[in-house]
Amino acid sequence: MKAYLLSIAAGLLVGVVYSLLGVRSPAPPMIALLGLLGILLGEQIVPLAKKIWAHEEVAQFVQTDCRKHVLGRLPGDKFPCRAADHKAEA
């Protein structure tokens, strides 16, 4: 949760600086967020296609690996970080 608060605080600080300088953000917020969402989802297309091609379990992959990558660590997650997840699997 701390990372989320730091992220919003940093965004607010940048917004205040932009306002004081009289400039606008480089991209309208909704377009920027949709672009980031597209990047995150696009990164999952190749691994998903490989799973489909190899006739492996797709639903499990989407619920675990894709979820972790696209959504990141959500508040309330029991794992301290993604690196710990990968070490536990190895």
Side-chain angles (χ1 to χ4, degrees), residues 12-67:
L12 287 170
L13 179 63
V14 169
V16 168
V17 170
Y18 277 13
S19 179
L20 291 173
L21 294 175
V23 296
R24 293 186 47 102
S25 63
M30 184 53 75
I31 291 174
L33 291 175
L34 289 174
L36 289 173
L37 178 62
I39 290 169
L40 287 172
L41 294 175
E43 287 177 339
Q44 299 307 306
I45 291 174
V46 172
L48 185 62
K50 286 180 181 179
K51 294 281 184 188
I52 293 170
W53 186 260
H55 301 289
E56 295 179 12
E57 182 62 40
V58 174
Q60 180 67 25
F61 172 73
V62 170
Q63 291 173 352
T64 57
D65 293 346
C66 286
R67 177 187 169 269

